[in-house]
Amino acid sequence: VEIAYGIDDEHQRQGYATEAAIALAQFALQTDGVTTVCAHTKEDNLASIRVLEKAGFQGKGTFIDPEDGEVLRFEKSL
């Protein structure tokens, strides 16, 4: 399962993205058959990297996304 999130500029830096990432991952991991949740972000998106780290995701290297190009992959597993 892959999660994604976005926060309008006026609502950034208030913890909403972290809260959303935590809730999405928890919901997905409680679903039968789901053992890993992933997300990706661009290497220069430090805010998103921090969100994923605070939500308990682990960095798993880079890969080429068809839409975003080279991105960092993060995963959270049971």
Side-chain angles (χ1 to χ4, degrees), residues 45-60:
N45 191 338
L46 300 180
S48 190
I49 291 168
R50 182 71 181 127
V51 163
L52 293 169
E53 290 173 342
K54 288 193 317 188
F57 284 73
Q58 305 273 324
K60 297 294 181 179

Side-chain angles (χ1 to χ4, degrees), residues 16-50:
Y16 297 132
T18 301
E19 188 175 332
I22 290 169
L24 289 166
Q26 286 176 342
F27 179 80
L29 290 170
Q30 292 173 358
T31 303
D32 288 341
V34 176
T35 59
T36 302
V37 178
C38 66
H40 69 266
T41 188
K42 294 207 174 224
E43 190 172 322
D44 63 351
N45 191 338
L46 300 180
S48 190
I49 291 168
R50 182 71 181 127

